Amino acid sequence: PVGLRGRAGRGGFISNRPVESASVFEQIDLRGILPNGYEVELYRNGVLVGSIANAVNGQYEFLEVPVDYGLNVFRLVFFGPQGQRREEVRRITVGDGRLAKGDLEYEVGVIQRDVNLLEVQGPNFNPTEGFGNWQGAAQFSYGVTSDITAISSVSYFENDGANDFVGTAGIRTGIGSLAVRADAAASDKGGFALGVGTGGRALGGSFTLSHFEYDGGFIDEIRSNSRDMLQRATEFDFNTNLNFGSELKRKSVPIAARLRHIEFADGRTDTDAVLRGSYRLPGMIVSNTLEYSRDTGLDGSGFSQLIGNFDLATFRRSRTQIRGSVGYTVTQGPDITNVEAGVDYQLDDRTVVSGQAGYSFNGGGLNLGASAIREFDRFSIALDGNYGFEQQNYSVALRLGFSFGRDPLSRRFFLDRPGQASSGASSVRAFQDMNGDRVFNDGDVPLDGVDFIASNNTFTTDQNGMARLTQIGNGNRASIQVDPSTFPDILMAPVERGVEIVPRAGRFHVMDFPIVALSEVEGTVTFKGEENDRGVSGLRLQLLDVSGKVAATVRSERDGYFFFEQIKPGAYTLRIEPKQAQQLGICLASDPAVNVEPQGGIYSVDALVYACEDKD
């Protein structure tokens, strides 16, 4: 909560905290790989947060993104140099930071700062501040009561040959409808920090407000994103919707505002304010961002600027996609600083051509680009070119793209279209389980032509019953379901209809989906009378599985005949619905049982009913 900022790097991390949850007092950092020539836009609940066109060391970073009460939907939209477009969606549920009484959540991690796993560096690598240093943190949250949650943490960081340690303690509680925080922190170098904050609903939206005071040269990367010593810091975030129009034709404009003021220990100050809004039109979304900043130096002199950016993008509902952007400055002008536009046209389901144009009024001049890409089953071919008129530079490239990997289920290497490793994948197998053990082994039958659905895409099994599900996301829960309508026999059913996983980039989740043949159970229920036996109609009969759960319920017909349909393999016991049996005062002479085999079939079981008082 105070001090060391989370970073990327190789190391280890463990937590029992749900990956899709956060506190309203937190801010989210989103990082990932940005391939050469790609641009990425980030939307939060429909509002454009920002865009990145130039990767730093091959990565994009959206830092200090505030969150709102309730569900936060982050949408990352990637645009490639040949017209490629893909999206990643992440959902985070935000609360007030309190836990239920007695609940304990922990997070522990250690990394080598900004160093990737294999220590690979690109040709234009630029080390960041603290690159290669080790840092670690541990945080614990405990629900003292239903209203008060205690938080404590300790962090460690290598800094120019020395080691920095910071310990924190705080509480999360509420006053009425407002969430409240209070935090204190101390470093081993003698610095300390005190902070309070609140958050809640106001003016039809939600807000968070926090203020921290520092002394003794305390370093708080979370609020300054640097290792400069601080004096105080104030942050305010407000998100709402502006509604207009009649009730029947009401329109809504999501608005996000943010203000931050920081005073450093040496006398410098930084003030930043951002106002963003987005509006959906038929087939497109328009966004505008205004950013104000003022920096004051050691001598008291200051510099202020107010800049803006207008963006337009059409949705993926037609063959033609249009994107446009206009950058402008207000305080040093007003002037337009840059204009960019791009058009993508889909010739068919595998071919896209695109054109781009941009003009910079600050010395960049006119730049034009064009590209085309053709996707084949296992690779893609792209041709692209760019020309800068002012610098008189150009580039022409012919690119062959593919992904290379190994399917852990089939144990075979494969080639596929490019971009597969940027998302998670799953290798699944559908088979008819002939012995009921739910494991694929000798005697089980692979099922060809079975469809699986994941991330709104459909994948079909081959003659070995296997399918490779790709592009199912990264870090966000995904559901994988089998489509029973594609089974070769209508009397087949999956043991489990689907599963939920958290896919990770470059990783396969391997799963078997056993399919079993359904069976029918029929029979007659007869009442044992003094003179003769007769069939009993209208009895509610139930099949109980081995766990005592009701698997199926039917009502007997006039002659006592009953018929259960679509029964999965297993051992079952027949009984009369307990409430009805008590009302009628009847009992079964025994507990009729039936064992349904995985191969499927029709099973017969008869039952004899007595008056409970006569049974004894």
Side-chain angles (χ1 to χ4, degrees):
V2 190
L4 188 64
R5 183 182 190 83
R7 305 289 295 202
R10 62 181 179 187
F13 178 84
I14 185 171
S15 173
N16 70 339
R17 182 181 182 182
V19 295
E20 68 278 3
S21 68
S23 164
V24 70
F25 297 113
E26 297 181 38
Q27 295 165 359
I28 305 298
D29 291 344
L30 297 173
R31 301 181 177 91
I33 301 298
L34 187 64
N36 186 33
Y38 272 71
E39 181 180 352
V40 58
E41 294 177 347
L42 174 64
Y43 293 85
R44 175 192 160 275
N45 291 342
V47 178
L48 178 66
V49 174
S51 63
I52 296 175
N54 299 312
V56 178
N57 298 330
Q59 290 190 325
Y60 67 84
E61 286 188 329
F62 292 101
L63 304 179
E64 303 172 356
V65 181
V67 293
D68 194 5
Y69 267 116
L71 179 64
N72 290 249
V73 180
F74 292 97
R75 185 163 60 94
L76 291 158
V77 185
F78 296 85
F79 301 94
Q82 292 91 34
Q84 304 100 321
R85 176 181 172 129
R86 66 179 177 89
E87 296 185 6
E88 292 182 7
V89 178
R90 305 182 186 182
R91 295 175 174 84
I92 297 177
T93 302
V94 176
D96 60 7
R98 284 182 285 183
L99 303 178
K101 181 179 179 180
D103 283 359
L104 173 66
E105 290 184 355
Y106 60 86
E107 300 172 272
V108 181
V110 177
I111 65 163
Q112 191 175 13
R113 192 163 174 146
D114 296 324
V115 179
N116 58 47
L117 180 62
L118 300 181
E119 212 167 347
V120 178
Q121 299 175 1
N124 299 316
F125 179 75
N126 183 25
T128 56
E129 182 182 17
F131 175 81
N133 291 339
W134 285 94
Q135 71 178 51
Q139 179 172 300
F140 302 89
S141 302
Y142 180 74
V144 180
T145 69
S146 59
D147 295 323
I148 299 176
T149 294
I151 296 178
S152 64
S153 70
V154 60
S155 60
Y156 154 83
F157 176 68
E158 287 183 339
N159 186 17
D160 297 329
N163 298 325
D164 288 349
F165 292 89
V166 174
T168 75
I171 62 170
R172 301 291 182 266
T173 185
I175 300 177
S177 61
L178 297 179
V180 177
R181 69 177 294 178
D183 292 283
S187 71
D188 64 327
K189 301 298 189 297
F192 65 88
L194 295 173
V196 294
T198 184
R201 300 275 181 184
L203 302 177
S206 63
F207 77 96
T208 58
L209 173 65
S210 63
H211 180 79
F212 278 80
E213 291 284 339
Y214 307 92
D215 200 0
F218 194 90
I219 298 173
D220 189 358
E221 293 182 345
I222 295 176
R223 278 147 199 93
S224 68
N225 201 20
S226 71
R227 296 195 62 77
D228 296 330
M229 300 176 183
L230 302 183
Q231 185 68 34
R232 61 181 52 88
T234 303
E235 295 176 314
F236 175 71
D237 289 286
F238 181 67
N239 303 297
T240 188
N241 286 289
L242 297 181
N243 300 314
F244 58 93
S246 64
E247 270 192 48
L248 296 177
K249 296 183 178 180
R250 176 156 295 185
K251 303 293 184 180
S252 180
V253 179
I255 299 294
R258 187 177 195 189
L259 174 66
R260 170 180 288 184
H261 177 75
I262 299 175
E263 297 181 18
F264 295 92
D266 58 9
R268 294 179 294 118
T269 65
D270 284 345
T271 302
D272 299 288
V274 180
L275 179 65
R276 295 188 176 96
S278 298
Y279 182 64
R280 288 179 179 267
L281 294 171
M284 69 178 65
I285 183 171
V286 294
S287 302
N288 192 79
T289 302
L290 283 173
E291 297 186 36
Y292 172 80
S293 62
R294 177 172 178 80
D295 300 331
T296 302
L298 297 176
D299 57 357
S301 61
F303 172 77
S304 301
Q305 66 174 356
L306 177 61
I307 61 175
N309 206 78
F310 176 83
D311 296 272
L312 178 150
T314 59
F315 300 131
R316 296 191 68 182
R317 296 177 180 172
S318 65
R319 290 180 177 271
T320 304
Q321 307 293 322
I322 300 174
R323 298 174 60 234
S325 176
V326 178
Y328 56 91
T329 178
V330 178
T331 51
Q332 284 78 36
D335 285 321
I336 295 177
T337 57
N338 63 282
V339 178
E340 297 179 359
V343 178
D344 302 332
Y345 182 74
Q346 187 173 4
L347 296 176
D348 54 43
D349 60 346
R350 292 195 173 189
T351 308
V352 176
V353 295
S354 62
Q356 304 87 33
Y359 190 89
S360 176
F361 296 91
N362 296 328
L366 178 65
N367 289 273
L368 298 178
S371 62
I373 183 171
R374 173 71 177 179
E375 290 187 345
F376 296 88
D377 289 339
R378 298 188 178 183
F379 63 92
S380 66
I381 295 179
L383 175 66
D384 61 87
N386 293 276
Y387 185 80
F389 286 84
E390 185 163 320
Q391 294 84 8
Q392 293 187 347
N393 54 16
Y394 65 90
S395 65
V396 178
L398 178 66
R399 309 176 193 269
L400 172 66
F402 60 88
S403 295
F404 176 72
R406 179 179 180 271
D407 190 315
L409 186 58
S410 66
R411 300 184 180 181
R412 296 177 180 175
F413 292 96
F414 65 88
L415 293 179
D416 209 332
R417 297 179 186 179
Q420 303 297 319
S422 63
S423 182
S426 179
S427 188
V428 299
R429 173 167 46 201
F431 65 94
Q432 184 176 357
D433 189 2
M434 303 303 293
N435 57 10
D437 64 355
R438 301 190 179 189
V439 178
F440 182 77
N441 44 39
D442 292 341
D444 292 337
V445 181
L447 297 180
D448 185 9
V450 174
D451 288 348
F452 286 87
I453 302 172
S455 300
N456 296 324
N457 293 319
T458 301
F459 306 86
T460 305
T461 58
D462 58 17
Q463 67 273 14
N464 296 315
M466 299 180 186
R468 189 166 61 249
L469 285 56
T470 59
Q471 302 291 325
I472 58 177
N474 177 25
N476 196 47
R477 294 185 183 275
S479 175
I480 298 176
Q481 292 190 339
V482 61
D483 184 0
S485 66
T486 60
F487 292 166
D489 192 329
I490 61 173
L491 293 178
M492 286 184 171
V495 174
E496 297 290 345
R497 178 70 181 269
V499 297
E500 189 178 66
I501 64 172
V502 180
R504 299 294 180 184
R507 176 183 175 184
F508 274 98
H509 288 257
V510 179
M511 288 173 287
D512 276 336
F513 276 77
I515 311 298
V516 294
L518 299 178
S519 298
E520 290 134 4
V521 178
E522 63 176 4
T524 303
V525 56
T526 305
F527 182 80
K528 182 67 174 175
E530 295 181 359
E531 298 181 358
N532 58 357
D533 298 341
R534 63 183 185 274
V536 183
S537 63
L539 277 186
R540 293 191 294 271
L541 301 173
Q542 298 176 335
L543 278 183
L544 303 182
D545 61 17
V546 292
S547 64
K549 182 180 178 181
V550 177
T553 301
V554 297
R555 186 184 294 269
S556 63
E557 299 178 7
R558 292 191 60 179
D559 56 356
Y561 178 76
F562 61 87
F563 184 73
F564 291 96
E565 296 182 284
Q566 298 184 343
I567 303 302
K568 292 183 179 180
Y572 298 94
T573 302
L574 183 71
R575 77 172 182 183
I576 305 172
E577 193 270 323
K579 186 176 181 180
Q580 187 186 39
Q582 183 179 11
Q583 291 175 342
L584 298 178
I586 57 176
C587 301
L588 289 176
S590 61
D591 294 324
V594 59
N595 188 38
V596 178
E597 299 293 336
Q599 296 83 359
I602 300 176
Y603 296 84
S604 297
V605 57
D606 293 323
L608 194 61
V609 176
Y610 289 86
C612 294
E613 57 198 36
D614 297 336
K615 185 177 178 182
D616 296 334

